[in-house]
Amino acid sequence: MTGTVQSAPGAAGPVVGVGIVGMGSIGVLHALALRDLAPRARLVAYSGGGDLDAHLTPGGHAAHVPPDDVVRHEDVDVVAVCTPSGSHARLALAALEAGKHVVVEKPLALTVGDALRVERVARERGLLVSMVSQRRFEPQHQALRRALDDGALGRLRLVATHVPWYRDDDYYAAAPWRSSTRQGGGSLMNQGVHNVDLLRWLCGPVESVTAQAGTLARAVGPGPVAADDTAEDTTVATLRLASGALGVVTTTTATPPGFPATLALHGSHGSVELAQDEVLRWDVPGVAAPGSGGSAGGAADPLAIGHAGHRAQWERVLAALDGAAPPPVGAADAVETVRLLCAIREAAATGRAVRPADLAARESAAPVR
C-alpha cells in the first residue's frame, strides 16, 4: 500500500498527516479522534468551519484552507471526507487522484456506479479507502460478531433493525441537503445507514428487498428543495437474506422525542437484542453477555454520538497503513452497503422486489456527483 507517511522519534509508527474536508460537527469528531491518537496522527489541514482551538491540534498549527488545497496539501497522507453525502464520491475520487488515502463518512456514495468507481480507482492506485462505520467497533457489536462467527446463535431465522429517531425543523433548515434525496438526505440514507450497515455486516448478503417510504412529518415543497426531490422521513423494508433468514428494516426521523436504534437477531440456538450499545437481551448458550455501554446515541441529537467509535476506526486505519491489518470497512465492503441502501430506495420507488446484486453500475462519462 502506497503512502507518504514519515517516521518520527517517539511515535509508535510513522506520523500520518491528515486533512479534513468539512470541519462541521462530524469533522470535529474526527479531529477529536486524531487528537487522542497524537503523535501517531496529526491534523495538518482542514476546510470549513471556524478556527480550531489549540487543544484539537496538539501536533501544531493546522492550515485552514479551501477543500482543494486540503486534498493537494503536501503534508496530507489521508483525506477525511466529512462533507454532505452528495459530495462524498466526488471528493474521495479527487483525493485518490491526488495520491491520498481516504477516510470517508457514510455512505461511500449515493449510487452503486459512483461507489464502484471509487473502489476501482483505489484498487488501481493501491490506496486505502475506509468508509466510517464506527458502530461496528463498539464492544457489544464486536461480541455479537464473534458469537455469530462461532455459530453460537445457530442458523439465523429473523433479524430486525429499527431506527425510531426524531429531527426537528431546525435540523433541516440548518442544512437543506438533509431534505434532498439527490444529495443523500432522508431517514434511510442519512440516519439509518449505520444500522443497515450493521445488519449487513453481521448477517451477511441480502438476496432481495421490498420497501415502502413516505414523507410523513414534513411538508413536501415549496421550499429550498423541490417537491420531486424531497427526501422521505420514514422507510420500511423487508429483506430476504442469502442465508434464508428474513429481516425488517425501519427508519424514521418523524417520531418525537426520538428513541434508541435497536438491532435484534434471532437464531435457531439463541437471540440477541441491542438498543444502541445497551444489551436488552442476550440469550446465547455458553456465551457471556457483554456489558452495556453508556452512549446516548443520536436518537434526538446527532451530536450525542461521541467520538470513541471514530477513534476506534482511526486506530485500525493507522494499523492498515502500517501493513499490520486490513483496511477497516474497505472500499469493496462499503460498496455492498451502498448496494443495499440503493436497493431499498429503488424498491420503495418502484413497488417491486429488488435484488441488490442486480443493480447496474451505471458507469457513464458524466461527472461523479
Side-chain angles (χ1 to χ4, degrees):
M1 182 172 294
T2 61
T4 59
V5 292
Q6 299 179 355
S7 297
V15 176
V16 175
V18 178
I20 296 178
V21 181
M23 191 57 76
S25 57
I26 297 300
V28 170
L29 294 181
H30 285 261
L32 287 166
L34 294 168
R35 177 204 63 185
D36 290 355
L37 296 172
R40 180 67 180 86
R42 176 177 171 240
L43 177 62
V44 298
Y46 66 98
S47 67
D51 293 335
L52 292 181
D53 292 337
H55 79 279
L56 287 176
T57 56
H61 174 73
H64 192 183
V65 295
D68 289 346
D69 291 346
V70 174
V71 170
R72 293 193 297 260
H73 197 289
E74 63 179 0
D75 293 330
V76 167
D77 305 299
V78 183
V79 173
V81 178
C82 303
T83 54
S85 299
S87 60
H88 286 181
R90 174 176 57 80
L91 289 168
L93 283 168
L96 292 169
E97 296 289 352
K100 315 294 187 181
H101 303 291
V102 176
V103 171
V104 57
E105 272 292 338
K106 50 74 181 171
L108 175 63
L110 300 186
T111 69
V112 176
D114 286 353
L116 285 170
R117 196 176 307 184
V118 172
E119 188 276 333
R120 174 177 56 79
V121 173
R123 176 168 30 87
E124 291 174 351
R125 291 178 173 259
L127 293 166
L128 173 149
V129 169
S130 179
M131 181 182 75
V132 177
S133 299
Q134 78 274 11
R135 298 209 59 209
R136 293 190 188 188
F137 308 112
E138 293 170 355
Q140 297 76 20
H141 294 122
Q142 290 284 308
L144 179 52
R145 179 61 188 258
R146 289 192 295 271
L148 288 166
D149 290 345
D150 292 342
L153 271 73
R155 187 178 179 87
L156 287 179
R157 292 174 173 169
L158 179 66
V159 301
T161 186
H162 303 295
V163 185
W165 285 3
Y166 180 64
R167 296 291 184 266
D168 61 19
D169 288 342
D170 289 343
Y171 169 82
Y172 292 100
W177 74 268
R178 295 167 175 164
S179 300
S180 165
T181 298
R182 297 186 185 99
Q183 291 300 314
S187 69
L188 175 69
M189 193 71 77
N190 193 24
Q191 281 82 25
V193 53
H194 281 303
N195 275 61
V196 171
D197 177 77
L198 279 174
L199 186 146
R200 187 193 66 77
W201 174 63
L202 290 166
C203 304
V206 174
E207 184 71 21
S208 64
V209 306
T210 62
Q212 296 187 68
T215 307
L216 307 183
R218 308 195 69 248
V220 179
V225 176
D228 63 355
D229 186 33
T230 300
E232 45 71 40
D233 60 21
T234 305
T235 293
V236 176
T238 65
L239 317 178
R240 181 176 295 277
L241 278 68
S243 67
L246 299 180
V248 177
V249 172
T250 68
T251 69
T252 185
T253 54
T255 50
F259 303 90
T262 62
L263 176 71
L265 275 57
H266 303 280
S268 57
H269 295 164
S271 295
V272 169
E273 184 176 3
L274 306 175
Q276 194 65 29
D277 59 357
E278 180 183 358
V279 179
L280 300 182
R281 175 186 299 274
W282 188 274
D283 294 327
V284 186
V287 180
S292 291
S295 171
D301 179 4
L303 301 183
I305 61 174
H307 71 282
H310 287 77
R311 181 177 61 240
Q313 183 153 351
W314 270 105
E315 288 173 343
R316 289 161 173 79
V317 167
L318 297 176
L321 292 175
D322 284 342
V329 199
D333 192 356
V335 167
E336 296 311 310
T337 293
V338 174
R339 281 191 195 277
L340 180 52
L341 291 165
C342 290
I344 294 173
R345 272 194 166 181
E346 185 166 316
T350 64
R352 300 193 300 266
V354 175
R355 288 169 44 90
D358 289 344
L359 292 182
R362 299 187 179 98
E363 295 284 355
S364 72
V368 175
R369 291 193 297 168

